[in-house]
Each structure stands twice: as structure tokens, then as C-alpha cells.
Amino acid sequence: MFWNEGRAVKRYQTLKEGEGAVVSVSDEQVDPANQGRLVHLSARADTDETLTDATFAVSQTALRLKRMVEMYQWKEHRETRTVKQTGGGEKKETSYSYSRVWSASVISSSGFKRRNGHENPTDMPFGSKTLNASNVMLGAFVLSPALVREIDNWVPVTIDASTAIPAALGSQGMIHGNGYYRGQDPGNPAIGDVRITFNAVYPGPVSLIAAQQGKSFAPYTTAAGGSISLLQPGIHSAADMFKTAHFHNRLITWGIRAGGLLLMFIGLASLLKPLSVFADVIPFFGNLVEAGTSLIAFVLAFFFGLMVMGVAWIFYRPVLGLSLMGGGVALVAWVIWRRKARQKALSALAPPPMQPAPAAQPPGPPQGSTPPPPPTSPPPPSAAPPAE
């Protein structure tokens, strides 16, 4: 995650530098004055070369030609679930199911749980293959093989119904759909059946941003330490191409960030897992502990991830990183201050506490009257006369 933040900053600085240095040039002639400069041009990528797949006798005047081979095979699906046991502990139960799919590579059945009735062929009868034209012109310029490989607007090649079936397919070969098929019935394929299709990239408009190097192009090295070599099919301005490059940079950056946070969450959840296992002595309590530890792992992963990204920004872009951290601290301080100020204001508006009412006094005599004399104590009882 730390590396990703540095990569994102470096790529951003590289693209910004390129935006200020790029010049648009004509494709009609090569200007030696632009040697080594970052140039942009849009022109037709063209070739007079014919690409031929000799195995299947497919020929196209194209920039690229690709053969795709798929074989019908068994695929194993595993589903594992965790069952909690009374008294603590867990047990994993795995169930297996099988389906038939088209695959461009061999699916080994040697590791299947149930091999009987689910055997796959051990190799592909034909391999996939891509052919690229060696002489591709972009106006007066020549595209390097690396740039040709970046042109990827593939179009399906349709095999003509009158074409002879290639000998390599044998007696079960036929034309089906846009390509060839080897098997008994394309509508009901059997394990081991093969289908072959072809795609091509035909001559057409291409937009390019790279360093002019003689009559060709090379990656442009910037002062930030990155390189620029952008190619897109179609007619695009330099501004639009850089905008797309910035979008791809953000997409990669956030993808790695999300992946890093997910891995961090999985690691922390694994560290906290023993707590829920110990609590499984009482299954319901174990479920509650597991939910709690998952929440804790999520919060910790989010916190540590932000810390790593924050430190990386300080390392790679100190001024901006410190400014962001200062803004964050200021925001936290402001929230705390506002909360205290609100509590103080509420305290000032609250009514004073109620005082206890005085005890009720007995009513006194009417005003102007003589108060009654205080009650006299009764005389003590007289002593009894002594007995004679």
C-alpha cells in the first residue's frame, strides 16, 4: 500500500509533465526538429502485409491475427462451509460438483475428488496463437512491434462456408459459426470437442503520444522518473488521451488500495479468530464474539490502512501530506470545540434546580389578640397516706 501511493504520485507527476510538454505533429512527414520530443498524432495505421495461419489456411491483410482454441472439459467446483461443534471448535465440510465448460487451457482432472466419469484430455490438440504484422505505418512513421501489440480493437473473422476443411481437423472437422469445430454435434458437445475462432485487427485510425525517435517512436522519459507511451485506437486529442491516462491511474490506485485493505482485514480477522473459537463452547455466544471480532478487524484495517496511506503521502509529497494531516487535526479539534461549546450553551439555557419547599408552620393567633397562656403541667399525684 505504501508503494502504491508512491506509484500513483509518480504517475500523476509524469502525466502532468507530459501534458505541458506534448506537441501535436503532422503524420505526412517526419520533422527532424521534433527528435526526442513528446509528440501526439492521429493517423491511419496501415500495412500491406498478409498474415496467414498456415495450420488452418486463414489469411487476412491485417495488423494482427489471433487464433483462439477452446476445448470442452469437466470443471470441478468446491464449496466449503464451517460447522460449529457443541463444546467448542469447528469442522469444515466440503462438497464437490462438476460441470462441463469451454476452456482455452487444459483443466487437469488428476486432482479431482471424483475422477471416475470426469476425465479430461491431457493436452490441447491445437494451441492459441497471435500473429503481428512487422511493417505497420502510421502516416510517414513506422510503428514498433511493441506499439503494434497495443492495438487491440479485435474484430471476429468469419470463415467462408465454401472454404475447404483443414486436414488438421480430421474427419470430424466442420465449419460452425464464425470458425471451425471438431466433434460429432456442435449442438450437443462432448468432452474433448474443440472449437477454433479467429479475430483480427484491421488497418484503421490510431492516436499516439510518445517520443519521436527517427521515423519511429519510443517511451518518453520525464523528470519525475516515469515514462509516457500512450496508444488508443481511433481519433483522440492529446487532452483526451491524458484524461484517459489519469482515469486509469486512479482506477489502478483505488484497486490496489481496496485490495490492500481487504488483505489487511483478512489478516486481522485471522489473528482474532481464536477468540470466537474459544467462545464456541456456547454456540450462540461464539457467533456474537465472531461478529464482534469481525467488526474490530474491519475498524483496525481501515485505521491502519489510512495511517499507511497518510505516512506515504507525507513521504512522497510532504507539503500536501502535512497539509492534509494538519487539516485533519484541525477538523477533529473543531469538532471537539463545537461539542464542548454546545454542551456549555445547553447548560446555560437549562432552568435552575428546584429548591425544596419550607416545612408548613401551624397557624398563629389572629393579629391583636392575646396569646393563650402556655399549658401548665398537671400537678404530681399526692403521696398515699402511710398505713397504720
Side-chain angles (χ1 to χ4, degrees):
M1 292 178 71
F2 191 95
W3 164 86
N4 178 52
E5 299 305 316
R7 182 210 59 78
V9 170
K10 181 179 179 180
R11 185 59 177 167
Y12 172 81
Q13 293 174 338
T14 295
L15 294 174
K16 292 299 289 185
E17 182 179 337
E19 288 180 81
V22 67
V23 294
S24 294
V25 299
S26 172
D27 63 294
E28 295 180 356
Q29 61 180 2
V30 179
D31 187 352
N34 293 323
Q35 176 69 17
R37 299 184 66 182
L38 183 65
V39 298
H40 160 262
L41 73 157
S42 296
R44 177 182 171 85
D46 205 352
T47 185
D48 56 3
E49 191 172 339
T50 300
L51 303 178
T52 301
D53 186 328
T55 304
F56 296 95
V58 175
S59 297
Q60 298 286 310
T61 302
L63 308 179
R64 308 182 70 190
L65 179 64
K66 177 168 62 176
R67 177 214 299 171
M68 295 175 295
V69 181
E70 296 174 292
M71 184 166 63
Y72 205 56
Q73 304 173 70
W74 286 107
K75 183 177 181 180
E76 183 180 70
H77 305 274
R78 300 183 184 184
E79 184 178 353
T80 302
R81 63 190 187 98
T82 301
V83 180
K84 295 183 181 296
Q85 296 180 314
T86 304
E90 297 176 345
K91 181 176 69 173
K92 294 187 180 298
E93 295 181 351
T94 303
S95 59
Y96 300 86
S97 60
Y98 298 85
S99 63
R100 292 176 290 184
V101 298
W102 288 101
S103 175
S105 58
V106 173
I107 300 176
S108 175
S109 58
S110 60
F112 284 0
K113 183 69 174 179
R114 296 194 295 270
R115 295 183 57 187
N116 188 23
H118 303 105
E119 295 88 357
N120 286 329
T122 57
D123 56 7
M124 299 285 288
F126 313 102
S128 298
K129 184 178 181 181
T130 301
L131 303 173
N132 300 313
S134 58
N135 183 31
V136 178
M137 304 298 296
L138 191 65
F141 296 87
V142 179
L143 287 181
S144 65
L147 289 173
V148 172
R149 288 193 294 269
E150 292 187 29
I151 310 176
D152 57 359
N153 51 330
W154 297 98
V155 177
V157 175
T158 301
I159 304 299
D160 193 284
S162 61
T163 304
I165 304 300
L169 292 175
S171 59
Q172 292 187 338
M174 65 185 75
I175 296 175
H176 177 70
N178 290 331
Y180 293 109
Y181 189 92
R182 192 181 76 172
Q184 292 287 348
D185 183 6
N188 185 26
I191 298 299
D193 283 7
V194 177
R195 63 184 183 186
I196 303 113
T197 55
F198 297 86
N199 284 348
V201 176
Y202 295 106
V206 166
S207 297
L208 173 70
I209 296 179
Q212 181 176 317
Q213 189 176 70
K215 294 182 62 177
S216 189
F217 305 94
Y220 178 82
T221 302
T222 64
S227 63
I228 299 176
S229 179
L230 307 176
L231 185 145
Q232 294 181 26
I235 303 297
H236 304 280
S237 67
D240 287 342
M241 294 183 69
F242 276 111
K243 184 177 180 180
T244 302
H246 278 295
F247 172 75
H248 288 161
N249 184 37
R250 290 193 299 269
L251 199 64
I252 295 172
T253 301
W254 281 103
I256 297 178
R257 284 172 179 170
L261 289 173
L262 177 61
L263 291 175
M264 194 176 293
F265 167 75
I266 293 173
L268 291 169
S270 300
L271 288 175
L272 297 174
K273 182 67 175 177
L275 296 178
S276 64
V277 175
F278 292 147
D280 277 338
V281 175
I282 305 176
F284 177 74
F285 186 63
N287 292 335
L288 292 178
V289 172
E290 184 175 6
T293 55
S294 298
L295 178 61
I296 293 173
F298 175 79
V299 173
L300 289 177
F302 196 78
F303 172 76
F304 288 131
L306 291 180
M307 288 292 293
V308 171
M309 288 185 279
V311 172
W313 274 83
I314 293 177
F315 181 82
Y316 292 110
R317 302 189 71 177
V319 175
L320 180 58
L322 290 174
S323 299
L324 291 174
M325 290 196 70
V329 172
L331 179 62
V332 172
W334 180 80
V335 170
I336 295 174
W337 175 80
R338 285 286 297 173
R339 184 175 180 181
K340 289 184 177 180
R342 182 178 178 82
Q343 290 177 346
K344 185 176 181 181
L346 291 175
S347 299
L349 293 176
M354 298 291 293
Q355 298 294 333
Q361 299 293 332
Q367 190 173 4
S369 63
T370 303
T376 58
S377 301
S382 55
E388 293 183 359

